[in-house]
Amino acid sequence: MTTEDRSKPHETATRLAHGGRRPREQHGFVNPPVYHGSTVTFPDVDTMLSGRQRYVYGRRGNPTSDGLESLVAELEGAAGAVLAPSGLAAVSVALLSCLTSGDHLLMTDTVYQPTRHFCDKVLTRFGIETTYYDPTVGAGIAALFRPETKAVFTEAPGSQTFEMQDIPAIAGVAAAHGATVLMDNTWATPLFFRPLDHGVDLSIQAGTKYFVGHSDVMLGTVAASPRAWPALKAMHGDLGQCIGPDDAFLALRGMRTLEVRLARHQASALAVADWLAGRPEVARVLHPARPDDPGHAIWKRDFSGSSGLFGFITRPAPLGAVKAMLDGLELFGLGYSWGGFESLAIVADPRKYRTATTWTEPGHLIRLNIGLEDPRDLIADLADGLDRFTAFAEPG
Ligand SMILES: *Cc1c(COP(=O)(O)O)cnc(C)c1O
């Protein structure tokens, strides 16, 4: 039996196990097959002209991509969802679906940096102006609205620095102005925060991260409210976006374990974050699920969990101390993506590109992706790293 056969909605873990597949239509096989194909043929001219055949052309979808699309829409509580070849492609199709020449966009200053680049380099060329705002502005965003403001983009917690945003307050102001609200919700996934339930119109996931979960596929998804869905669907088709069937298959396979993976990422990341907070080399931990975090109250009010990505600030030291720490880590790779089973670290500097806020922390910002390893091994690896940090910062 599939979810569609029942009237009472199932819990999330059950939906992840059963959504997006119809074994009876696939000779009983549990998973949808991988449909490779561009050409789709029709039995006769009448059918061809009628537009009623379910599949008509490879770019417009197949049973494999449909399975993933319907599972995402179900999890997001959306009118519909589209699949994009990367998280950034999902961001761009979502923005292009709700903006046109002459419009004004409000963009959080802590947004994922390539999203910022898209606004500055591409949207400007088409006469769309972007104003960056302080992520903690809340209902104060009303003061930034102009008659031509057509969209507000949010991301919480903020990229690299983990500030929380009051999404319901921002969405309330945007609704009063008839503006579309977008959210990059990659950190929480719809399992820990469902943007559409809080007034967001377009919910974006870099599926590359937790949906796929195994560091082997690039994927983006956008899920839309009924109001935003027709324009999103049209723009997605007009841009010719689609994903390969092997990637759709791997993403579906990843999503079957999304809930159990996230539970482990959450617990391990909190264990590592709490341990780091007690270390003398650490000035501050950036993790909204920790009670001392400035965004904790909003996180607690709106989110039902936290994932495996967080940051910390070292006490001031030469960059060499950070290099000594990170270069010698055994279990943490140095890499920009995240959400996979393996732990990763990066060093980041938000001063380089932020314009509406000022980053004043004197120490180095390190971001960790806590994977599925045993957190005791990760802590031991980081403990050795912090010893190297101190040995460099205070030789002899
Ligand atoms: C990685 C990431 C993206 C972009 O996803 P890609 O699949 O790498 O293009 C967008 N937003 C956030 C928050 C991300 O972490």
Side-chain angles (χ1 to χ4, degrees):
M1 181 179 280
T2 57
T3 337
E4 299 93 306
D5 300 325
R6 298 173 55 113
S7 49
K8 179 183 171 294
H10 285 119
E11 301 299 330
T12 302
T14 311
R15 290 165 179 243
L16 286 167
H18 287 266
R21 59 192 187 86
R22 300 170 190 272
R24 294 272 68 84
E25 293 175 20
Q26 314 294 349
H27 309 284
F29 281 92
V30 166
N31 289 297
V34 179
Y35 279 83
H36 273 280
S38 51
T39 306
V40 181
T41 54
F42 301 81
D44 48 49
V45 171
D46 275 348
T47 309
M48 199 170 196
L49 297 179
S50 75
R52 279 201 304 272
Q53 183 166 298
R54 176 67 192 86
Y55 299 104
V56 295
Y57 189 63
R59 191 179 65 236
R60 310 296 295 269
N62 58 60
T64 323
S65 62
D66 268 10
L68 178 58
E69 233 173 59
S70 66
L71 179 56
V72 170
E74 187 183 339
L75 286 177
E76 298 260 19
V82 297
L83 307 176
S86 71
L88 186 59
V91 166
S92 66
V93 70
L95 283 168
L96 291 172
S97 78
C98 61
L99 291 167
T100 192
S101 169
D103 287 352
H104 175 235
L105 164 69
L106 289 170
M107 172 61 72
T108 177
D109 200 34
T110 49
V111 76
Y112 178 67
Q113 208 265 334
T115 298
R116 185 181 196 102
H117 193 263
F118 177 76
C119 297
D120 296 346
K121 298 292 181 238
V122 181
L123 291 185
T124 45
R125 276 181 50 205
F126 295 93
I128 298 162
E129 191 190 337
T130 302
T131 299
Y132 293 94
Y133 66 87
D134 182 331
T136 62
V137 68
I141 200 158
L144 300 174
F145 270 79
R146 306 178 193 165
E148 65 275 21
T149 305
K150 292 291 159 53
V152 182
F153 195 105
T154 62
E155 179 178 332
S159 225
Q160 302 190 336
T161 45
F162 299 92
E163 294 87 347
M164 286 301 296
Q165 293 202 260
D166 191 336
I167 302 295
I170 291 172
V173 173
H177 287 82
T180 302
V181 182
L182 303 88
M183 180 175 189
D184 184 333
N185 186 43
T186 302
W187 185 83
T189 83
L191 269 61
F192 292 151
F193 183 73
R194 286 222 310 187
L196 270 49
D197 294 347
H198 298 265
V200 172
D201 300 292
L202 293 167
S203 171
I204 298 159
Q205 276 289 310
T208 307
K209 313 295 167 49
Y210 286 125
F211 278 7
V212 167
H214 294 72
S215 308
D216 49 9
V217 172
M218 303 298 298
L219 171 71
T221 68
V222 189
S225 65
R227 186 174 89 92
W229 172 236
L232 175 68
K233 188 172 165 48
M235 181 54 75
H236 181 261
D238 292 346
L239 289 175
Q241 283 196 0
C242 59
I243 72 169
D246 292 307
D247 289 348
F249 180 86
L250 286 171
L252 267 173
R253 177 182 172 124
M255 290 185 75
R256 303 297 174 206
T257 57
L258 181 59
E259 204 207 33
V260 287
R261 283 187 287 111
L262 278 176
R264 180 64 174 262
H265 285 299
Q266 167 166 247
S268 296
L270 277 169
V272 175
D274 289 347
W275 174 82
L276 279 169
R279 289 287 305 212
E281 301 88 347
V282 174
R284 193 152 81 83
V285 171
L286 313 173
H287 191 317
R290 281 177 40 84
D292 64 356
D293 191 273
H296 183 69
I298 289 179
W299 174 82
K300 202 170 167 190
R301 184 193 67 190
D302 295 343
F303 284 44
S304 61
S306 59
S307 60
L309 193 78
F310 70 95
F312 67 95
I313 317 272
T314 67
R315 62 180 171 74
L319 184 60
V322 173
K323 290 181 188 168
M325 175 183 177
L326 299 186
D327 287 350
L329 291 174
E330 215 181 294
L331 299 175
F332 287 79
L334 296 176
Y336 283 110
S337 195
W338 54 279
F341 50 80
E342 81 289 14
S343 288
L344 297 166
I346 64 167
V347 56
D349 185 2
R351 283 177 197 83
K352 285 189 180 145
Y353 47 84
R354 301 245 165 116
T355 52
T357 55
T358 311
W359 184 251
T360 55
E361 291 286 350
H364 299 283
L365 168 58
I366 294 172
R367 189 192 75 182
L368 298 179
N369 172 60
I370 301 301
L372 299 176
E373 302 94 336
D374 191 306
R376 290 169 295 191
D377 292 328
L378 298 177
I379 286 172
D381 199 17
L382 291 170
D384 290 346
L386 289 173
D387 288 347
R388 290 190 297 275
F389 179 95
T390 301
F392 187 99
E394 296 160 14

